[in-house]
Amino acid sequence: MYGARRREAVRVTLPISQSPANLSKAFRPSSFPNKCSPDTARQLDPSPLPVKKGMAAPRPVVLSGPSGAGKSTLLKKLLKDYEGVFGFSVSHTTRNPRPGEEDGKGLNCLPILLGATLLPVADVLSSVSSEDYHFVSRETMQEAIDNGEFVENAAFSGNMYGTRRASVEDVQAQNLICILDVDIQGVRNIKKTDLNPIYVSIQPPSIEILEKRLRDRQTETEESLQKRLEAARIDMELSKEPGVFDIVIINDDVEEAYEKLKGVLIEEIQKVQESKKS
Ligand SMILES: Nc1nc2c(ncn2[C@@H]2O[C@H](COP(=O)(O)OP(=O)(O)O)[C@@H](O)[C@H]2O)c(=O)[nH]1
Ligand SMILES: Nc1ncnc2c1ncn2[C@@H]1O[C@H](COP(=O)(O)OP(=O)(O)O)[C@@H](O)[C@H]1O
């Protein structure tokens, strides 16, 4: 998308999961079908990353900001540059999948797509959206919320979105920095938990530029675009409140925004990289 596409063949090896004996309750099947379950992934990658006992999981990262601000654009760059450092918490939503989106197709499913073959990393990453969801019905989602399976959930643009506890635990158990892409309600709700993430807000330079980006992206109907702009105005105001975010990044020039994002995360990134060496 941004920058030249590299075509060299790289074996992308991503850590998958722990041994079955170590799997917490959260890993076991629950009310949600999950095509990307650790069990499936394990069959395809025989070299899981061992999680070191007694080691604190890296701090998660909450990435928030208006729809269209550039969160997934920046996230993709991060995942590409720091392979094996980050894991994405694939959210659940009741919204319809967009063309090209598949249920549960997130970072954790990369090995399923790759199998054991050599593939050009740029091709693989451009074909994998870190933003895909588990697409579920309202009934299923409400039932799981009532069962206490969610860390947080929110209504956005007429749909339900939520982070299942197991999605975060899954990533953390692999000693990866867990990234959560949530709206401002999600930020508020996560603040009530003991997750202790780094809070990052990605903001557009202006509402006009945001609208242009959303229109150019061609993913929204006029109705959902207007709802997103309405939510964006609120988000842009709330992000100015002191103490809500550790950093607010204005995504004007994407490279500059990316440098700022890396800057705030570099300490955690280095911790994960160091822990893998030892
Ligand atoms: N609270 C919460 N918000 C979420 C979650 N997943 C996604 N969102 C937010 O929902 C909004 C809409 O997401 P989406 O439908 O993917 O549209 P997009 O952000 O424009 O690509 C965005 O602000 C996301 O940050 C979640 O699990 N919880
Ligand atoms: N700095 C930027 N300059 C111009 N266009 C951008 C920039 N960052 C992102 N975009 C484009 O804006 C649109 C929305 O970005 P996206 O990453 O999908 O936002 P979000 O995940 O926050 O909804 C995409 O089409 C993306 O290519």
Side-chain angles (χ1 to χ4, degrees):
M1 193 180 301
Y2 295 94
R5 276 164 63 86
R6 292 186 298 139
R7 298 216 40 101
E8 72 269 31
V10 178
R11 167 87 165 95
V12 180
T13 48
L14 286 173
I16 306 304
S17 69
Q18 304 169 276
S19 71
N22 291 339
L23 292 178
S24 73
K25 199 174 166 200
F27 285 80
R28 294 184 201 129
S30 76
S31 41
F32 281 117
N34 185 347
K35 283 185 194 165
C36 189
S37 73
D39 285 340
T40 321
R42 199 166 45 244
Q43 288 163 17
L44 292 158
D45 188 329
S47 55
L49 176 81
V51 177
K52 294 178 182 71
K53 283 209 173 99
M55 206 174 68
R59 278 182 83 186
V61 175
V62 164
L63 212 53
S64 194
S67 161
K71 299 179 297 294
S72 48
T73 303
L74 293 166
L75 182 54
K76 277 184 196 166
K77 287 169 77 66
L78 206 58
L79 297 177
K80 185 177 166 185
D81 286 355
Y82 295 97
E83 249 178 77
V85 171
F86 293 97
F88 186 68
S89 162
V90 179
S91 293
H92 287 73
T93 183
T94 61
R95 86 150 158 75
N96 290 326
R98 294 173 184 148
E101 283 184 330
E102 284 173 31
D103 188 284
K105 194 185 83 171
L107 173 70
N108 299 336
C109 283
L110 263 176
I112 291 176
L113 297 168
L114 294 170
T117 50
L118 283 168
L119 287 173
V121 68
D123 285 357
V124 172
L125 285 165
S126 63
S127 74
V128 173
S129 164
S130 54
E131 293 294 300
D132 288 4
Y133 292 95
H134 296 296
F135 297 98
V136 291
S137 68
R138 246 166 212 284
E139 266 178 3
T140 311
M141 183 124 178
Q142 193 57 57
E143 199 185 310
I145 291 168
D146 295 344
N147 284 343
E149 291 182 34
F150 279 76
V151 179
E152 63 78 34
N153 65 90
F156 182 93
S157 185
N159 289 300
M160 293 162 82
Y161 292 80
T163 307
R164 198 166 155 246
R165 193 174 304 278
S167 300
V168 179
E169 288 176 353
D170 188 355
V171 174
Q172 290 195 313
Q174 297 165 59
N175 190 28
L176 299 174
I177 300 171
C178 181
I179 301 192
L180 298 95
D181 175 345
V182 299
D183 79 330
I184 195 79
Q185 303 164 80
V187 170
R188 295 230 182 274
N189 289 330
I190 290 169
K191 290 209 172 221
K192 295 176 199 154
T193 71
D194 59 2
L195 264 185
N196 188 31
I198 299 169
Y199 292 96
V200 180
S201 173
I202 307 295
Q203 292 290 327
S206 68
I207 193 86
E208 291 76 21
I209 291 176
L210 182 76
E211 178 168 356
K212 180 174 184 322
R213 286 184 190 167
L214 275 174
R215 288 194 185 280
D216 289 351
R217 195 175 71 180
Q218 298 186 329
T219 52
E220 308 308 316
T221 61
E222 188 57 33
E223 191 192 354
S224 76
L225 191 133
Q226 291 304 332
K227 282 184 183 165
R228 278 169 161 71
L229 290 177
E230 207 176 297
R233 285 188 188 94
I234 298 168
D235 190 306
M236 288 166 82
E237 277 310 305
L238 290 178
S239 72
K240 292 179 195 156
E241 267 183 33
V244 179
F245 291 98
D246 293 301
I247 186 170
V248 177
I249 298 173
I250 310 293
N251 176 22
D252 189 353
D253 177 272
V254 76
E255 294 303 334
E256 276 176 29
Y258 182 56
E259 286 308 311
K260 286 183 187 154
L261 180 60
K262 273 199 301 194
V264 76
L265 303 183
I266 199 68
E267 207 177 302
E268 282 309 302
I269 292 172
Q270 284 169 351
K271 273 192 220 161
V272 172
Q273 288 173 330
E274 285 302 314
S275 76
K276 286 188 175 179
K277 284 187 203 154
S278 53

